[in-house]
Amino acid sequence: MKVYVTRQIPESGLKMLRDRGLSVTMSEKDGVLSKTELVNALKEDAYDAILCLLTDTIDEEVLAAAPQVKIIANYAVGTNNLDVKAVTARGIQIANTPDVLTETVAEHTFALILAMTSRIGEADRFTRAGKFVGWAPMLFLGTDLAGKTLGVLGAGRIGSRVAYHAHNGFDMDVIYYDVHQNELFEKDYHATYFETVDDVLKHADVVTIHVPLLDSTKHLINTRRLGMMKESGYLVNTSRGPVVDEVALVDALRAKIIRGAALDVFENEPALTAGLAELENVVLTPHIASATEETRTKMAEMAALNIIAALEGKIPPNLVKT
Ligand code: NAD
């Protein structure tokens, strides 16, 4: 059986596929395949599985080029790059890579929170520019986290792990909103449930977003909601870019409606909304929240296990229920 891999991923996952006797073809392009390139690549052989990334749009046109495919193994936990309806209509299974990246994304989220509140990015640029002329009592005053309130939007796997670090490591109070109230989350992190996103935004000092990208979460954070946050408040987004209206965020940061923000994901990535890169009060990372050697290797192995199971007629361990 044949597997098409849309971009170079860690070798261990590819080896697992080959060791099971599967033939693996990997895109040789050093970058994201365009739709046409992907369709043409799939037409070159009769593939049974596709291992794709969150940067690949898998829709009806792509599926039509690979009519034998039995599983789409997404090398990500989010599945917003797939036209789930089109995939399931063809009886194709979908698998993702949850859990394994939870801690890594939570740690990156905390790195961003600390970078915002301790003003690491600004201070780094300042120091490199040779502007440091000596200790000064008012230089780069930031914000303490201890005793402050973390507002979690989306108390799932990653949101829970961020709450864990906030509660246990930084002595923060945790409040949250999720479409499902989560009693374990409340018990484990002494967290308080708020019935609306708005309530969380009004009360939190740092708001962290961990919802999936859905129609209902697109622009969850918009001009109106940014206006509800504390003037001293910070926003961090490591979920998906379109959850935040980036034009509204640039305006809010410019007008000091909120104190700072940090983004690992962007509304039109890899493009940045005009004005974002010029702002000092925002920290930007290029969608690397899960990018550690350990995690990316485990993700490759998980994707391989999902494909192996599906092609052996078993239920993939990380089957996405549709
Ligand atoms: P999860 O499914 O465990 O948690 C998501 C939570 O959001 C769930 O508790 C769900 O009930 C809640 N939710 C859904 N709709 C909501 C809404 N409208 N309002 C409030 N809550 C809502 O997922 P996870 O593993 O924690 O991952 C969360 C997201 O993080 C993923 O969907 C993915 O898009 C993103 N992610 C980003 C990176 C990165 O590299 N930056 C890496 C991994 C995951």
Side-chain angles (χ1 to χ4, degrees), residues 77-78 101 105 154-159 177-180 210-212 214 216-217 238-240 264-265 287 289-290:
V77 63
L101 43 62
V105 178
R157 288 171 291 238
I158 298 169
Y177 170 76
D178 193 295
V179 282
H180 304 296
H210 303 289
V211 297
L214 307 166
S216 60
T217 57
T238 58
S239 67
R240 285 289 182 262
D264 180 55
V265 286
H287 206 150
S290 71

Side-chain angles (χ1 to χ4, degrees), residues 274-294:
L276 193 61
E278 284 75 52
L279 290 166
E280 280 295 333
N281 53 348
V282 66
V283 179
L284 309 173
T285 54
H287 206 150
I288 54 164
S290 71
T292 61
E293 279 175 24
E294 298 93 325

Side-chain angles (χ1 to χ4, degrees), residues 54 76-80 96-99 101-102 104-105 108-109 152-160 177-182 197 209-214 216-218 220 237-241 243 264-265 269 287-291 296 299:
L54 57 88
V77 63
T79 50
N80 53 287
N96 63 349
T97 57
D99 300 317
L101 43 62
T102 298
T104 308
V105 178
H108 191 81
T109 303
V152 178
L153 300 178
R157 288 171 291 238
I158 298 169
S160 295
Y177 170 76
D178 193 295
V179 282
H180 304 296
Q181 191 168 350
N182 182 338
V197 172
I209 309 173
H210 303 289
V211 297
L213 175 60
L214 307 166
S216 60
T217 57
K218 180 159 194 261
L220 186 75
N237 185 18
T238 58
S239 67
R240 285 289 182 262
V243 175
D264 180 55
V265 286
E269 66 183 57
H287 206 150
I288 54 164
S290 71
R296 288 288 165 86
M299 285 167 69

Side-chain angles (χ1 to χ4, degrees), residues 60-189:
E60 182 50 36
E61 195 186 338
V62 172
L63 298 171
Q68 266 188 227
V69 159
K70 293 154 197 73
I71 177 164
I72 307 281
N74 214 30
Y75 186 79
V77 63
T79 50
N80 53 287
N81 57 309
L82 313 178
D83 180 341
V84 174
K85 241 186 184 169
V87 178
T88 46
R90 284 176 170 268
I92 298 170
Q93 293 180 316
I94 298 173
N96 63 349
T97 57
D99 300 317
V100 71
L101 43 62
T102 298
E103 178 59 28
T104 308
V105 178
E107 287 183 17
H108 191 81
T109 303
F110 243 98
L112 289 176
I113 292 173
L114 289 164
M116 289 189 295
T117 55
S118 295
R119 303 179 64 178
I120 302 289
E122 285 173 82
D124 179 78
R125 288 189 288 276
F126 175 91
T127 311
R128 284 170 196 273
K131 295 181 183 168
F132 180 42
V133 291
W135 185 89
M138 303 301 280
L139 188 61
F140 286 116
L141 300 187
T143 305
D144 286 333
L145 289 179
K148 297 282 170 30
T149 299
L150 179 77
V152 178
L153 300 178
R157 288 171 291 238
I158 298 169
S160 295
R161 206 56 201 163
V162 174
Y164 168 90
H165 292 303
H167 175 66
N168 293 299
F170 289 90
D171 203 15
M172 295 182 81
D173 296 323
V174 178
I175 63 175
Y176 78 105
Y177 170 76
D178 193 295
V179 282
H180 304 296
Q181 191 168 350
N182 182 338
E183 279 170 23
L184 194 63
F185 184 89
E186 289 166 30
K187 187 169 150 280
D188 287 351
Y189 317 120

